[in-house]
Amino acid sequence: MVLDLEKRTYLFVTGASRGIGQRMSIEVAAKLKPGSIIVLLARSEQGLLNTKESIEALGNNVKVYTYSTDLSLVTATQFRELLEKSLKGVKISDFERAFIIHNAGTVGDVSKSAVDVSDANVWQQYYYVNVFSVISLNCEFFRVFSGTPKVVVNITSKCGIEPFASMSFYCSGKAAREMYFRVLATEQALDNVVVLNYAPGAIDTEMTEQVQRESTNKELVGLFKKQRDNKTMLTPEQTTAKFLQVLQEQKFKTGDHVDYYDE
C-alpha cells in the first residue's frame, strides 16, 4: 500500500526548530495540499521562525503556526488549548488527515553510568520531557481528531531496542516511548491510524555532538568521531529522504520499528 501524503492535512511536529524535526517539517510540508495547517513546537522561538520561513517560501498555500514551549512544564490542558487555538475558525472535517511527528527529545546525562543516578527527581524530570509530555500531547491530539484518519510518527532510536553504555536515560526513555506507541498501534489497528516508530540513525546534530563530548562510552565516542572525521555521519536531509520513502511505500506494519539502515 502506498501512503499518499498529498492531502489536506493538519501536521503537528515537535522539536521543529532544528535538526531532523526542522527538515521533516519542511519536506512533509512541501507535499501537502493547499489549505493544510502546520503546527511547529520547540523551545527555540528563532529556530521555529526559521522553519516557518522555509515552509512559507515553498509557496504551497499552507498556514504555519509556531509555539515556543518548554516540554518540562507543559500540561495536557495547555496542549489541548494549543491545538484548539491553531484550529480556530477551521472545521476539523475539512482535513483529510491528521499527522503528528513526535520528534522532540533529549539525550540525558551521558557522563553517568546506570548506577550513578539515584535521585528519582532527576529521572522524573527526564521522563517528563521525553515520555510523559509525549503521551500527554498524543492523547490530546487523538481527542481533538477522534474521527479523522491519522498518521503518528515516533522518532525513536536503535537505543530503544539495544543497550548502550552511558545511555541509560536515553535508552530507557526511548524504549518506554516506543512501547507506548506499539500499544497504541495495536489498539488502533482497525481505526484508520498508521503508527511508525522511525529510527533515523546517528545524525550530525547537537545531540550526537553532546554524546561525543560527554559520554563515558569510549567505543561510542570513537565511532561518532570517526564518522564525523570521515564525513559519513548521516545528515538531516539524508534521513528525512529515507523517512519519506518509508512512509510513502508503507511496507511496514503499523507500530513497527523501522531503522534508516533497514532494507
Side-chain angles (χ1 to χ4, degrees):
M1 180 183 294
V2 175
L3 182 66
D4 180 13
L5 295 179
E6 295 181 10
K7 293 184 178 294
R8 189 175 186 188
T9 301
Y10 181 97
L11 173 66
F12 196 113
V13 186
T14 68
S17 63
R18 61 184 183 181
I20 63 171
Q22 182 176 66
R23 181 47 46 188
M24 286 180 174
S25 299
I26 296 167
E27 296 299 333
V28 174
K31 297 184 177 296
L32 303 183
K33 278 187 176 179
S36 295
I37 287 179
I38 300 170
V39 178
L40 308 173
L41 186 74
R43 284 181 298 176
S44 170
E45 185 173 358
Q46 185 57 55
L48 288 170
L49 292 176
N50 292 342
T51 308
K52 179 180 179 180
E53 182 178 342
S54 295
I55 292 173
E56 291 177 339
L58 298 171
N60 59 345
N61 195 25
V62 299
K63 291 184 179 179
V64 185
Y65 297 96
T66 63
Y67 296 97
S68 177
T69 305
D70 185 346
L71 291 178
S72 68
L73 302 172
V74 69
T75 65
T77 299
Q78 290 170 325
F79 279 135
R80 182 62 175 258
E81 291 173 349
L82 187 154
L83 287 161
E84 291 175 346
K85 185 177 180 181
S86 68
L87 288 163
K88 189 174 182 179
V90 178
K91 293 181 180 179
I92 291 177
S93 59
D94 289 342
F95 296 104
E96 297 173 88
R97 175 182 291 137
F99 187 170
I100 187 165
I101 302 176
H102 295 283
N103 168 67
T106 62
V107 73
D109 189 345
V110 294
S111 70
K112 304 288 196 306
S113 73
V115 296
D116 284 339
V117 183
S118 59
D119 188 343
N121 289 326
V122 174
W123 283 97
Q124 187 175 42
Q125 289 166 7
Y126 181 81
Y127 269 71
Y128 193 98
V129 171
N130 293 278
V131 181
F132 303 152
S133 70
V134 175
I135 294 172
S136 180
L137 169 58
N138 198 70
C139 290
E140 294 304 322
F141 186 81
F142 267 70
R143 289 190 182 104
V144 170
F145 293 101
S146 59
T148 308
K150 286 176 280 294
V151 173
V152 179
V153 175
N154 170 44
I155 300 302
T156 187
S157 170
K158 187 177 181 179
C159 292
I161 58 174
E162 183 176 328
F164 287 83
S166 85
M167 305 285 282
S168 59
F169 283 100
Y170 192 67
C171 287
S172 62
K174 286 296 186 184
R177 185 159 144 172
E178 180 161 332
M179 183 54 74
Y180 167 80
F181 284 104
R182 289 177 62 188
V183 171
L184 176 73
T186 300
E187 294 174 342
Q188 302 285 333
L190 301 178
D191 293 332
N192 207 2
V193 175
V194 175
V195 179
L196 170 64
N197 289 293
Y198 179 67
I203 310 164
D204 192 2
T205 61
E206 291 182 24
M207 182 177 287
T208 52
E209 287 178 356
Q210 180 187 345
V211 174
Q212 187 176 331
R213 184 175 61 249
E214 300 176 4
S215 176
T216 57
N217 184 337
K218 294 182 179 179
E219 182 180 354
L220 188 60
V221 169
L223 175 62
F224 283 2
K225 183 180 186 303
K226 182 178 179 181
Q227 289 179 337
R228 278 202 166 86
D229 290 346
N230 295 339
K231 308 295 183 183
T232 56
M233 184 170 277
L234 296 174
T235 65
E237 289 77 11
Q238 286 175 307
T239 198
T240 297
K242 178 62 178 283
F243 166 70
L244 291 174
Q245 179 187 342
V246 169
L247 268 185
Q248 291 171 309
E249 292 181 352
Q250 204 182 340
K251 295 178 181 178
F252 62 92
K253 294 179 182 178
T254 184
D256 276 356
H257 174 111
V258 179
D259 192 278
Y260 174 89
Y261 292 102
D262 290 346
E263 293 295 331

